[in-house]
Amino acid sequence: MNTKLLGAFGEQSAARFLRQQGYEIFSNNFLISSGELDIVAFKNNTLCFVEVKTRGEGGMFSPSYYVNITK
């Protein structure tokens, strides 16, 4: 699976999970001047900006390794 398809799969899975947890999804892949917000969600009077990182088998680092200060 190429990285674009893998990323789309991860974002769809994350959105499904958030809906199951009671979040309302406002937007997927929302473009802003400095980049893109993967998911914009809302629950309990809290607006959430969700960065999704999907890795295939053999991901060598923890998820926090892939999210830097710009994310």
Side-chain angles (χ1 to χ4, degrees):
M1 181 180 298
N2 71 39
T3 56
K4 189 167 185 130
L5 288 175
L6 182 62
F9 173 78
E11 290 175 11
Q12 290 169 0
S13 297
R16 185 178 327 110
F17 173 80
L18 290 168
R19 279 190 206 93
Q20 291 171 348
Q21 301 304 308
Y23 287 83
E24 180 180 353
I25 305 300
F26 283 157
S27 181
N28 292 31
N29 303 83
F30 185 78
L31 295 176
I32 57 174
S33 61
S34 60
E36 176 187 271
L37 300 172
D38 292 334
I39 299 173
V40 179
F42 185 80
K43 180 179 177 182
N44 297 333
N45 294 320
T46 303
L47 186 61
C48 304
F49 303 107
V50 181
E51 175 66 22
V52 178
K53 291 292 185 188
T54 307
R55 296 288 176 251
E57 289 184 36
M60 299 186 67
F61 301 102
S62 72
S64 62
Y65 176 84
Y66 297 102
V67 180
N68 59 33
I69 192 74
T70 61
K71 293 290 181 182

